[in-house]
């Protein structure tokens, strides 16, 4: 386990920017447990390493996209 001094924590807004999703999506990922986070008062901080791992995971495939044309 890395030393706490070596861990860099990101805000929800920073994570949303890195992942190119909305802040609400980041909150959903945190609340579902898919993205680990620590709560400081009323805000959350996400370890930068957890964001890097999440970006490396394969995207879920919900099946083919329907042709609406």
């Amino acid at each position: 386990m890395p030393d706490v001094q070596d861990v860099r924590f990101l805000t929800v807004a920073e994570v949303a920017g890195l992942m190119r999703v909305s802040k609400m999506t980041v909150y959903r990922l945190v609340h579902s447990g898919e993205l680990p986070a620590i709560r400081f008062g009323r805000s959350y901080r996400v370890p930068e390493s957890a964001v890097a791992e999440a970006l490396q995971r394969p995207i879920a495939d919900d099946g083919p996209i329907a042709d609406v044309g």
Side-chain angles (χ1 to χ4, degrees):
M1 180 172 215
D3 190 350
V4 175
Q5 294 176 344
D6 297 332
V7 178
R8 181 165 181 242
F9 289 97
L10 304 173
T11 65
V12 169
E14 291 171 328
V15 174
L18 287 171
M19 296 181 81
R20 296 186 181 195
V21 298
S22 70
K23 290 193 298 184
M24 186 54 68
T25 298
V26 176
Y27 282 116
R28 285 188 196 115
L29 291 170
V30 167
H31 288 291
S32 71
E34 292 182 59
L35 192 61
I38 297 173
R39 188 166 183 173
F40 289 105
R42 293 176 58 189
S43 63
Y44 288 92
R45 296 292 187 270
V46 180
E48 187 176 39
S49 59
V51 176
E53 288 175 20
L55 291 173
Q56 295 299 318
R57 279 188 234 135
I59 298 172
D61 184 7
D62 291 339
I65 298 174
D67 185 18
V68 292

